[in-house]
Amino acid sequence: MSIYVGNLSYQVTEDDIRGVFAEYGTVKRVQVPTDRETGRPRGFAFVEMGTDAEEDAAINGLDGAEWMGRDLKVNKAKPREDRGSSGGNRGGYGGGGGRGRY
């Protein structure tokens, strides 16, 4: 399982996040998704800790905490398939088609 960390500063680095979460235990992995066009961080990250207890401690300690001028949003990450399935059918409705063209 991993932890979702939201409302991050766009200047944050993986090392910054690793340092904060290391106070709660072993940090196995930090992933900071970047914008494809700009290469800048997207304002959130995923962190994997060594144990569930360490994850719980980090979530309890950091959710709502102010860091780099922002109030962090920290909780258990949802599996990818759960996040994607809710909006998966939107594509068929997006066109609007011929109504506005003529």
Side-chain angles (χ1 to χ4, degrees):
M1 199 60 166
S2 64
I3 300 170
Y4 167 83
V5 187
N7 200 31
L8 289 171
S9 165
Y10 292 112
Q11 282 73 46
V12 75
T13 66
E14 286 185 18
D15 287 340
D16 293 334
I17 295 168
R18 188 176 300 277
V20 169
F21 277 81
E23 296 177 24
Y24 297 93
T26 303
V27 178
K28 289 172 55 177
R29 192 170 83 135
V30 176
Q31 184 179 14
V32 181
T34 55
D35 184 272
R36 288 182 190 161
E37 293 177 17
T38 65
R40 283 187 359 172
R42 295 176 60 195
F44 64 93
F46 297 98
V47 177
E48 289 181 22
M49 302 291 288
T51 67
D52 288 345
E54 291 171 345
E55 285 186 0
D56 291 340
I59 291 168
N60 291 333
L62 294 172
D63 187 37
E66 186 180 330
W67 186 52
M68 295 178 82
R70 293 171 170 255
D71 293 334
L72 296 180
K73 177 71 176 158
V74 183
N75 54 38
K76 292 254 187 211
K78 295 181 177 81
R80 282 186 196 187
E81 53 272 12
D82 288 351
R83 285 199 309 263
S85 63
S86 64
N89 294 329
R90 275 190 263 158
Y93 302 105
R99 284 185 290 197
R101 278 190 273 179
Y102 301 106

